[in-house]
Amino acid sequence: MLWGHIPAAEYRKVIVGLIFLRYISSVFDKKYQELLAEGDGFEEDIDEYTSEGIFFVPANARWSVIASKAHTPEIGTVIDEAMRAIEKENKRLKDILPKNFARPELDKRRLGDVVDLFTNIKMVDAGSSRDILGRTYEYCLSKFAEQEGKLAGEFYTPSCVVRTLVEVLQPYNGRVYDPACGSGGMFVQTGDFVNHAGMSANAAMTFYGQEKVEYNAQLCLMNMAVHGLNGKILSGNEANTFYNDAHSLEGCCDYVMANPPFNVDK
């Protein structure tokens, strides 16, 4: 791995954070170019983006700026500031994005190399940015899970297991609840199932999740955003499913699917 001297759990945060940043910047830029071509001067109007469910990316947080500074000593600080700027403009992302790129132990040369890798992803030839980066996000989660072994059960369920659960339940519409949602695989697979059936997952489904570990909930929210899904995910001790029905759903969900983290001690 690129950061052989950093634990998998740490460089997981780096990689998935960059994937997310690349994704929202790509979607924003596509809409930005459309507005620019219209010539009405609305390309910096935040409402033009949020009305279509697109995250607004401030000028200093756009991928073109990050890519231009990939091989400078301050690249870590540039990325951290970009994450903060995006959170400030998008309330849905408040306290979700990782801001740990400037720490001294992170090799900035290698960080710049990873930025280059994501910069060079060919969006047009290989498909939409959402498809490509969504698959990349899932692939990275699976590889990090392999590296972390049994500890990965806290945030990741193998996709084949999740897909089996979804295809057995066939959740075409309604409310879906995962009481131990981890990085959100149940929601992503459900969204794929509904979308492949020719419907809109966000129109047909409402997603609810609880996750005791706050960083895992952040992974979930980023994962859902990369796949174009919205949901209400609660985290922290107050979201410990054993003690608290944080959503007050009172058993009124159409589908409940979960792979409880059996590896976690009592």
Side-chain angles (χ1 to χ4, degrees), residues 103-120:
R103 62 189 191 275
E105 64 270 24
L106 187 58
D107 187 318
K108 301 306 182 290
R109 179 182 60 81
R110 291 178 177 177
L111 178 58
D113 289 342
V114 176
V115 170
D116 283 347
L117 285 175
F118 287 126
T119 300
N120 294 328

Side-chain angles (χ1 to χ4, degrees), residues 73-143:
E74 63 270 16
I75 181 58
T77 301
V78 170
I79 296 173
D80 285 345
E81 290 177 351
M83 296 293 191
R84 293 187 182 94
I86 290 169
E87 285 188 341
K88 183 178 180 181
E89 296 291 345
N90 301 273
K91 293 181 180 179
R92 280 174 52 199
L93 298 177
K94 181 175 173 57
D95 299 326
I96 290 175
L97 305 184
K99 296 171 281 290
N100 55 357
F101 295 87
R103 62 189 191 275
E105 64 270 24
L106 187 58
D107 187 318
K108 301 306 182 290
R109 179 182 60 81
R110 291 178 177 177
L111 178 58
D113 289 342
V114 176
V115 170
D116 283 347
L117 285 175
F118 287 126
T119 300
N120 294 328
I121 290 177
K122 295 185 180 299
M123 300 293 183
V124 177
D125 294 340
S128 73
S129 60
R130 175 171 293 168
D131 289 342
I132 296 168
L133 291 170
R135 290 196 301 268
T136 302
Y137 193 101
E138 287 287 317
Y139 174 81
C140 288
L141 287 180
S142 69
K143 291 302 179 184

Side-chain angles (χ1 to χ4, degrees), residues 57-260:
V57 182
N60 67 320
R62 293 168 193 170
W63 192 264
S64 57
V65 173
I66 294 167
S68 70
K69 298 182 179 179
H71 296 288
T72 63
E74 63 270 16
I75 181 58
T77 301
V78 170
I79 296 173
D80 285 345
E81 290 177 351
M83 296 293 191
R84 293 187 182 94
I86 290 169
E87 285 188 341
K88 183 178 180 181
E89 296 291 345
N90 301 273
K91 293 181 180 179
R92 280 174 52 199
L93 298 177
K94 181 175 173 57
D95 299 326
I96 290 175
L97 305 184
K99 296 171 281 290
N100 55 357
F101 295 87
R103 62 189 191 275
E105 64 270 24
L106 187 58
D107 187 318
K108 301 306 182 290
R109 179 182 60 81
R110 291 178 177 177
L111 178 58
D113 289 342
V114 176
V115 170
D116 283 347
L117 285 175
F118 287 126
T119 300
N120 294 328
I121 290 177
K122 295 185 180 299
M123 300 293 183
V124 177
D125 294 340
S128 73
S129 60
R130 175 171 293 168
D131 289 342
I132 296 168
L133 291 170
R135 290 196 301 268
T136 302
Y137 193 101
E138 287 287 317
Y139 174 81
C140 288
L141 287 180
S142 69
K143 291 302 179 184
F144 293 138
E146 289 179 10
Q147 290 287 320
E148 295 180 53
K150 66 179 183 179
L151 296 176
E154 192 176 73
F155 74 91
Y156 184 78
T157 301
S159 59
C160 58
V161 174
V162 180
R163 186 165 56 251
T164 299
L165 290 173
V166 171
E167 291 182 357
V168 167
L169 289 175
Q170 297 185 339
Y172 284 109
N173 59 72
R175 303 205 295 179
V176 175
Y177 173 53
D178 184 345
C181 64
S183 55
M186 301 291 179
F187 303 134
V188 170
Q189 291 276 8
T190 297
D192 287 345
F193 181 84
V194 174
N195 290 333
H196 289 161
M199 298 179 289
S200 167
N202 274 333
M205 315 298 296
T206 305
F207 298 104
Y208 295 93
Q210 285 182 226
E211 172 55 49
K212 179 176 179 291
V213 180
E214 291 191 17
Y215 177 67
N216 294 344
Q218 293 170 0
L219 282 178
C220 177
L221 287 164
M222 286 190 287
N223 197 6
M224 293 178 71
V226 167
H227 286 87
L229 301 175
N230 297 312
K232 186 176 182 181
I233 312 300
L234 299 178
S235 65
N237 289 327
E238 70 279 3
N240 188 326
T241 309
F242 287 115
Y243 307 113
N244 183 25
D245 177 12
H247 293 289
S248 299
L249 296 172
E250 299 178 354
C252 295
C253 278
D254 299 286
Y255 306 95
V256 179
M257 57 181 82
N259 177 30

Side-chain angles (χ1 to χ4, degrees), residues 28 31-32 35 43 45-54:
F28 170 87
K31 180 64 178 177
Y32 182 91
L35 292 171
E43 59 270 12
D45 186 343
I46 190 170
D47 291 337
E48 293 288 334
Y49 300 90
T50 55
S51 64
E52 296 185 19
I54 298 172

